[in-house]
Amino acid sequence: MKKIAVFVSGGGSNFMAIHHQIKQGKIPGEIVLVISNNPNCGAIQFAEENSIPVLIINETRYPNPHTLNELLTDTCLKAEINLICLAGYMKMLPPAFVKQYENKILNIHPGLLPEFGGKGFFGMRVHEAVINSGKRESGATVHFVDEIYDHGPIILQKKVEVLETDTAESLAARILKLEHELFPEVVKAFCENKIIMENNTPKILAYNEN
Ligand code: GRF
């Protein structure tokens, strides 16, 4: 059983999708900790309703970046965390923390990285940029996190067609649904030890065995 920490800032629908599949017994893991910068988000309410321990960590509570990093690292080490899922987490993680958990931090991005990623490309901005570009395809990406925004090695992507009639909102809604399949799928593969690194490229074993 892998011990999972989920980092959230917003509604938490991806967190809920992972939680749901764990409860259904589809993922050999357990969410033992939820961390957020935002004490008032829907994800925190869901965590509390489900008796999952919560840690609120932000610059207001911890103005010193050193203290923040230490608290984050100590908390995850004490909880013996094996996997960290960034599920709509809107803050940059301290570089020392990213190093500590190299290839153990997953992020989901609502676009087909490496396009439409990086600083400034978040939320609706991604979908607006895709619509404005005239691209006929978008999707979602799960990747390992490194020190650069949306940059770490890509593990898995799922695609959707961009329709003539799409607005950023309709595209966002379709992609979010896809994210709820994609993220639990990658979390499951990780928890089953099926993600291996080959030349800094993640490979999901089951996919290559089929
Ligand atoms: C998702 O679109 C995800 O790709 C992005 O932030 C959004 C989070 O949504 N990183 P939710 O909080 O999981 O509902």
Side-chain angles (χ1 to χ4, degrees):
M1 273 291 200
K2 299 277 191 229
K3 291 188 179 177
I4 305 170
V6 184
F7 283 54
V8 291
S9 298
S13 67
N14 279 288
F15 158 40
M16 293 173 202
I18 296 166
H19 181 263
H20 184 65
Q21 293 218 8
I22 288 175
K23 289 292 150 205
Q24 286 188 319
K26 292 184 179 163
I27 299 174
E30 191 191 351
I31 300 173
V32 296
L33 185 61
V34 171
I35 296 182
S36 182
N37 58 307
N38 178 4
N40 302 314
C41 64
I44 290 304
Q45 198 183 326
F46 181 82
E48 283 169 351
E49 283 165 7
N50 287 278
S51 311
I52 304 170
V54 161
L55 173 69
I56 304 296
I57 202 162
N58 55 37
E59 297 88 346
T60 316
R61 291 187 188 199
Y62 305 99
N64 182 336
H66 259 295
T67 316
L68 193 146
N69 177 47
E70 265 172 28
L71 180 60
L72 209 52
T73 308
D74 286 354
T75 308
C76 288
L77 287 177
K78 269 203 193 103
E80 298 179 328
I81 296 301
N82 307 113
L83 171 66
I84 291 163
C85 296
L86 307 188
Y89 185 63
M90 303 303 283
K91 291 279 169 188
M92 193 83 179
L93 291 171
F97 183 78
V98 173
K99 250 211 174 77
Q100 171 92 28
Y101 284 96
E102 194 183 11
N103 294 337
K104 292 192 173 103
I105 310 177
L106 303 174
N107 180 48
I108 186 149
H109 181 78
L112 295 176
L113 291 175
E115 286 194 301
F116 306 107
K119 206 163 165 53
F121 278 111
F122 59 87
M124 216 42 89
R125 292 199 196 178
V126 177
H127 307 296
E128 277 158 11
V130 170
I131 300 260
N132 292 337
S133 75
K135 296 257 177 197
R136 301 269 51 104
E137 212 173 44
S138 189
T141 304
V142 174
H143 65 96
F144 280 129
V145 169
D146 66 9
E147 289 85 354
I148 306 168
Y149 269 120
D150 299 329
H151 174 270
I154 291 171
I155 302 166
L156 192 62
Q157 297 186 307
K158 281 188 191 282
K159 294 179 180 175
V160 289
E161 191 186 340
V162 179
L163 307 173
E164 294 284 352
T165 50
D166 262 330
T167 59
E169 286 76 16
S170 64
L171 184 60
R174 216 158 56 254
I175 290 177
L176 192 60
K177 262 191 156 166
L178 199 69
E179 291 182 40
H180 299 157
E181 295 168 22
L182 174 67
F183 211 172
E185 188 174 332
V186 177
V187 172
K188 180 179 160 69
F190 185 97
C191 290
E192 291 175 346
N193 296 318
K194 283 189 176 154
I195 305 179
I196 56 155
M197 293 300 283
E198 268 186 14
N199 304 322
N200 207 31
T201 307
K203 234 180 170 178
I204 300 184
L205 283 178
Y207 278 68
N208 310 304
E209 282 162 8
N210 283 338

